[in-house]
Amino acid sequence: MPTYKDMVQPVRATENDMKKIHIDPTPDDQKCDKALQYLDEMRKKFRSFVTAMESCVKCGACAENCHTYLGTKDPNNIPTNRAELIRKIYKRYFTLEGRWFGKLVGAEDISLDVIEQWYSYFYQCSECRRCARSCPFGIDTCEVTFVGRQILHWLGIVPKLHASVGAAMEKVGNHTNLPKPGLVDTLEFLADDILEEFGVEMTFPVDKPNSDILYIPSSADFLLNEYTLKGAGLFFSYIGANWTIPSIVAEAGNFGYLFDQRFTQRHNVMRLLDAAQNLGVKKIVWGECGHGWRAAKMYIPTMADRPVPWPITHIHDEVAYYINTNQLKLDPTKNSKPVTLHDPCNYARACDLQENLRTVMKASVVDFREMTPNKDWTFCCGGGSGILFDDPEMYQRRIQLSAKKAELVRATGVGADGNGILCAPCSICKAQLYPMVEEHKLGVEVKGLIDLVGKALVWK
Amino acid sequence: MSYFIMQIMPYITLVVFTFGVLFRLGRWAGSRIVHNITLAPFPQRNSQVLGIFAAEAIFFRSLFSSDRTLWVGAWLMHIALFSVIGGHIVGIYTLGEEFIYLGLSSDLSKEMSALLGVTFGILMLAALVYLLIRRFTITKVKAVTGPSDYLMLILLLAIVTIGDIMRVFEHQFGIDYAPVKDFVAHLIMLKPLPLDHLALTTPFFVLHIFFVQILLMLFPFSKLMHVFGMFANRWIINRVYKEPAPGLPNVDIAAARQAGIGVPSGEGGV
């Protein structure tokens, strides 16, 4: 049952699922002691966590800047209160004021109920960092959610979705469990499609030795976002690149970053470095995936256990560069429908990609309408950090979590005639928004950004 | 009692405050910045980082965008607080004659000093009341407020109210600069004051000092650490980031287009 004492909770991984990601779940009677031990370890390591614990003044500015609170009106979904779920334990065991004045400062003894609260509320947080942007002190509640999820993982409490994705990564090298023959088949099929639809003759090279460029697509692009993969293929063919997709890491995402920032995340990074070394590439280019791009751009330098000689950039960094230097011929009239851009939270607040997205967008479409707020003040799609649970209770939650975004999309007016495009250049955003634009009846189609580029390229 | 508050307690306060803050900051410093979590847009130079720090510290820039109604109260409160603290330091040191350095006469300077003290004192009181009402009335704020949050505001209100009473009803309850300067000087020189000294016998002054000392002793063990926390947090999330250069290896688009890559031979593309 995915609820616990009136709290919604995602379906959790079984003991067997957890063993596949190398964790033996902690028995209930040891959970509290272990949780404290892990919390002690984390607080001694992460300064971003300690300062979040010790410098919040509870002003409440974060409340209405969080789409989760706006959508659910649950006081525990106010960022500072979400952090308080751990802070009350932190105070009780690791501060003088909590030990001496307990209730007065809101300290509380740890219990299984508290651990269940963590599971419920840390998996309603999108880790989108809008609270960090709005906090007068820059307290990053995302760091608290990270710590909470890491402790839960070590205790053996992980959503089934996240655990199975982590296991798939280790087994086959991508999140969707596609083995190499599946990848190659899909790509051949897409190449045929491209010839038919765009009249362009090209192939998607897989594991091609001595390539110059390693392209890392999101594995969801093979199944759900075919035009994103086609767009990237068209772009690389157009510029005449010597590129390839590695089958051992056909995955731009990194779910380890979302629940286990140790082994699971590092494993994915090491796969990437192995692939880059074996294929002899000179540069790594990332596909459309928000959390994955943050995990790659910002975390690989501190995650890799060996030197990383290859520069890593995002495909939109490259497309924007070639647009700015007038080397791409694009015909925006090929994308004539009204388009608005959803800034993926990880691009706009964690990776500084927002301006390049606009360069690419403006060169590729005729009718681009900005959403407000946008860029570093963007609201999350409601699926951030992979909370794309599809059991009925959590699915209802997802509708609530996307309500703010729906309101903003509606305000742009792109869907007024039912033929708008909501450009969301991130796999998790796409997976969240495909059903949500229907639930909220927005009259828009969800597309990636490289999809639009692929369509607008002028070949002759 | 007043002898304890004025002559012994200050040294206890000093020790608790100093070692408390050092203990807390030491704990922060002991943990590390593990991953790069800088917040976009990324500053390109340290001068830009400094600009962010300044805009946040002086104008509460993020708060201005995220919660305007809170910004009004919070900003006024802090500006008034810093003015009042500054006024205390220069006013007591120069005996209210700080403005003679701006060309005012001695009497006018004292008037000015008193006027500014009253103004910022009242302003701070009003801002604190505003913040307290906010905690009681706005649902979301109520939901994040705990007992210690109310108590902290009430303690500040007590200090400010007493200070304002001493300013407004100077002749009945107030105290001159001179005995206060005397009091501070004696504390610093570790010299006790005579028991009948004005600083020890003015009830409102003793009460004012008492509450201030309580506040300072609570400081390291409370949310007042946000004064340091703000800079500690921004040190982590606002820092220079250099992007790798764009441009792909061995790519020559002009040549590729010249060669007609992707365009099937004998027929036209789109």
Side-chain angles (χ1 to χ4, degrees):
Chain A
M1 189 62 191
T3 55
Y4 177 93
K5 296 192 176 171
D6 293 333
M7 291 182 285
V8 290
Q9 290 185 332
V11 177
R12 54 183 87 189
T14 62
E15 200 172 328
N16 203 23
D17 295 332
M18 290 310 295
K19 281 198 192 306
K20 285 184 193 154
I21 48 175
H22 314 290
I23 292 288
D24 287 320
T26 309
D28 278 357
D29 59 340
Q30 294 168 27
K31 274 200 178 109
C32 294
D33 288 342
K34 284 287 170 194
L36 287 179
Q37 181 197 321
Y38 299 145
L39 182 58
D40 195 25
E41 209 174 289
M42 298 302 265
R43 79 171 176 100
K44 284 176 179 153
K45 181 161 186 186
F46 288 92
R47 190 183 299 162
S48 51
F49 175 70
V50 177
T51 50
M53 290 293 104
E54 299 197 5
S55 48
C56 176
V57 298
K58 320 265 344 201
C59 70
C62 49
E64 284 173 9
N65 284 291
C66 172
H67 65 282
T68 308
Y69 174 64
L70 289 174
T72 60
K73 290 291 170 196
D74 182 336
N76 282 331
N77 273 328
I78 296 175
T80 181
N81 275 4
R82 189 183 298 123
E84 193 70 16
L85 299 175
I86 260 187
R87 200 185 281 120
K88 63 188 180 184
I89 306 303
Y90 177 91
K91 277 184 183 158
R92 167 66 186 78
Y93 296 94
F94 305 118
T95 69
L96 281 181
E97 65 268 29
R99 258 178 255 155
W100 293 353
F101 301 111
K103 283 224 163 55
L104 197 65
V105 296
E108 193 181 311
D109 287 337
I110 193 161
S111 64
L112 286 178
D113 281 0
V114 170
I115 295 173
E116 294 298 331
Q117 272 184 325
W118 292 357
Y119 184 54
S120 173
Y121 289 102
F122 294 152
Y123 281 100
Q124 290 180 62
C125 167
S126 290
E127 301 180 333
C128 78
R129 304 181 85 199
R130 199 167 197 275
C131 46
R133 186 68 194 85
S134 59
C135 176
F137 316 136
I139 296 174
D140 199 341
T141 312
C142 175
E143 295 293 305
V144 180
T145 306
F146 282 155
V147 165
R149 288 184 179 192
Q150 183 74 58
I151 295 172
L152 288 170
H153 167 66
W154 283 334
L155 293 174
I157 308 172
V158 174
K160 198 174 180 66
L161 170 68
H162 290 66
S164 53
V165 164
M169 189 67 214
E170 196 181 339
K171 195 163 152 241
V172 297
N174 59 67
H175 289 168
T176 42
N177 249 327
L178 267 174
K180 184 172 177 181
L183 296 173
V184 174
D185 272 2
T186 311
L187 291 172
E188 280 171 3
F189 175 77
L190 291 182
D192 289 347
D193 251 18
I194 286 177
L195 182 59
E196 208 166 291
E197 191 177 348
F198 298 96
V200 173
E201 216 169 49
M202 55 86 66
T203 53
F204 288 89
V206 176
D207 294 339
K208 186 161 80 69
N210 300 318
S211 299
D212 292 325
I213 300 159
L214 192 69
Y215 177 63
I216 308 294
S218 164
S219 66
D221 295 351
F222 289 86
L223 304 174
L224 295 168
N225 323 312
E226 54 173 300
Y227 279 95
T228 303
L229 208 39
K230 285 178 185 170
L234 286 165
F235 167 68
F236 284 121
S237 302
Y238 185 92
I239 63 173
N242 175 19
W243 67 299
T244 192
I245 294 172
S247 66
I248 66 159
V249 55
E251 184 54 75
N254 191 339
F255 261 47
Y257 159 83
L258 304 173
F259 72 94
D260 174 23
Q261 297 192 343
R262 300 288 173 91
F263 175 78
T264 314
Q265 182 173 357
R266 181 171 280 114
H267 173 81
N268 182 318
V269 173
M270 298 326 277
R271 268 178 182 271
L272 175 78
L273 303 187
D274 288 347
Q277 190 179 30
N278 292 336
L279 297 172
V281 302
K282 299 191 177 66
K283 194 170 193 178
I284 300 170
V285 175
W286 221 256
E288 291 190 352
C289 175
H291 83 279
W293 178 228
R294 183 182 181 194
K297 180 174 183 172
M298 310 308 282
Y299 283 68
I300 286 179
T302 40
M303 274 274 163
D305 288 336
R306 47 184 201 246
V308 184
W310 314 279
I312 307 176
T313 53
H314 194 276
I315 190 164
H316 290 304
D317 289 330
E318 302 298 344
V319 177
Y321 167 72
Y322 289 116
I323 289 172
N324 285 333
T325 51
N326 288 320
Q327 299 187 60
L328 285 190
K329 208 169 158 197
L330 292 160
D331 178 8
T333 57
K334 291 186 186 171
N335 291 305
S336 57
K337 293 176 180 174
V339 187
T340 187
L341 175 66
H342 158 63
D343 281 290
C345 51
N346 281 301
Y347 287 172
R349 270 189 291 273
C351 295
D352 208 4
L353 193 57
Q354 63 281 2
E355 297 305 333
N356 282 346
L357 294 182
R358 281 163 177 76
T359 304
V360 176
M361 176 67 89
K362 284 171 187 162
S364 308
V365 309
V366 181
D367 182 5
F368 170 50
R369 303 182 196 169
E370 283 281 8
M371 204 181 284
T372 6
N374 57 7
K375 299 184 183 175
D376 53 324
W377 285 97
T378 182
F379 270 103
C380 167
C381 62
S385 81
I387 50 176
L388 301 162
F389 309 111
D390 50 11
D391 58 273
E393 283 86 354
M394 290 308 287
Y395 186 81
Q396 285 308 312
R397 248 322 107 131
R398 277 171 66 192
I399 298 178
Q400 293 175 323
L401 301 189
S402 58
K404 185 68 189 178
K405 191 90 252 177
E407 182 190 318
L408 304 182
V409 174
R410 213 173 276 125
T412 64
V414 290
D417 300 329
N419 69 342
I421 289 176
L422 171 57
C423 177
C426 156
S427 274
I428 285 180
C429 299
K430 286 172 196 159
Q432 161 76 346
L433 292 170
Y434 285 145
M436 290 308 135
V437 296
E438 304 297 329
E439 298 290 350
H440 296 289
K441 299 188 175 59
L442 297 177
V444 295
E445 194 186 348
V446 178
K447 291 230 179 251
L449 181 53
I450 197 72
D451 312 26
L452 303 174
V453 174
K455 213 175 160 191
L457 283 170
V458 179
W459 291 79
K460 300 210 306 178
Chain B
M1 192 62 195
S2 111
Y3 188 80
F4 174 77
I5 293 171
M6 306 304 277
Q7 298 287 270
I8 299 169
M9 196 174 159
Y11 298 108
I12 302 175
T13 307
L14 182 73
V15 169
V16 172
F17 176 81
T18 312
F19 286 95
V21 168
L22 284 177
F23 165 71
R24 271 278 147 95
L25 294 184
R27 274 196 354 176
W28 296 1
S31 51
R32 296 187 291 132
I33 302 174
V34 181
H35 299 296
N36 187 342
I37 60 166
T38 184
L39 204 59
F42 298 154
Q44 298 300 307
R45 286 181 300 280
N46 277 324
S47 56
Q48 288 171 326
V49 175
L50 203 65
I52 295 175
F53 274 56
E56 294 292 348
I58 301 169
F59 300 110
F60 298 10
R61 191 187 59 170
S62 288
L63 190 60
F64 185 79
S65 309
S66 60
D67 190 337
R68 197 70 50 89
T69 50
L70 170 58
W71 180 85
V72 173
W75 192 73
L76 269 183
M77 200 285 272
H78 284 85
I79 289 300
L81 174 68
F82 285 117
S83 307
V84 165
I85 290 175
H88 275 64
I89 294 170
V90 295
I92 292 166
Y93 183 72
T94 63
L95 301 179
E97 296 183 350
E98 62 267 34
F99 295 107
I100 57 174
Y101 300 106
L102 297 180
L104 269 56
S105 73
S106 164
D107 281 348
L108 202 55
S109 171
K110 280 182 190 157
E111 294 271 334
M112 187 79 163
S113 183
L115 183 68
L116 282 173
V118 173
T119 312
F120 283 112
I122 301 289
L123 207 58
M124 188 167 159
L125 184 71
L128 282 169
V129 170
Y130 176 89
L131 292 175
L132 188 63
I133 292 173
R134 187 177 161 276
R135 287 213 181 263
F136 278 114
T137 50
I138 301 177
T139 321
K140 61 168 188 184
V141 190
K142 226 168 146 180
V144 301
T145 305
S148 60
D149 301 310
Y150 292 120
L151 288 177
M152 199 58 79
L153 271 176
I154 290 167
L155 180 58
L156 279 168
L157 271 169
I159 296 169
V160 175
T161 311
I162 295 167
D164 283 350
I165 291 174
M166 288 167 66
R167 249 294 160 231
V168 178
F169 306 102
E170 207 178 331
H171 301 297
Q172 296 96 312
F173 306 116
I175 188 168
D176 281 334
Y177 289 114
V180 179
K181 187 175 182 179
D182 214 21
F183 164 68
V184 176
H186 277 73
L187 274 183
I188 293 172
M189 304 304 288
L190 306 175
K191 276 194 295 193
L193 285 173
L195 282 172
D196 59 352
H197 191 276
L198 264 180
L200 273 60
T201 57
T202 309
F204 276 78
F205 183 61
V206 175
L207 212 55
H208 188 66
I209 295 292
F210 175 71
F211 283 128
V212 168
Q213 294 188 80
I214 296 288
L215 186 81
L216 288 177
M217 283 200 270
L218 289 178
F219 193 108
F221 309 102
S222 69
K223 62 178 188 176
L224 295 180
M225 284 299 285
H226 74 274
V227 179
F228 302 105
M230 138 129 196
F231 294 100
N233 270 305
R234 298 219 166 267
W235 179 251
I236 302 172
I237 67 162
N238 298 122
R239 41 180 57 210
V240 169
Y241 185 95
K242 296 275 187 218
E243 301 283 343
L248 294 167
N250 299 327
V251 162
D252 184 342
I253 301 184
R257 295 328 314 141
Q258 193 73 44
I261 291 180
V263 184
S265 45
E267 52 167 314
V270 177

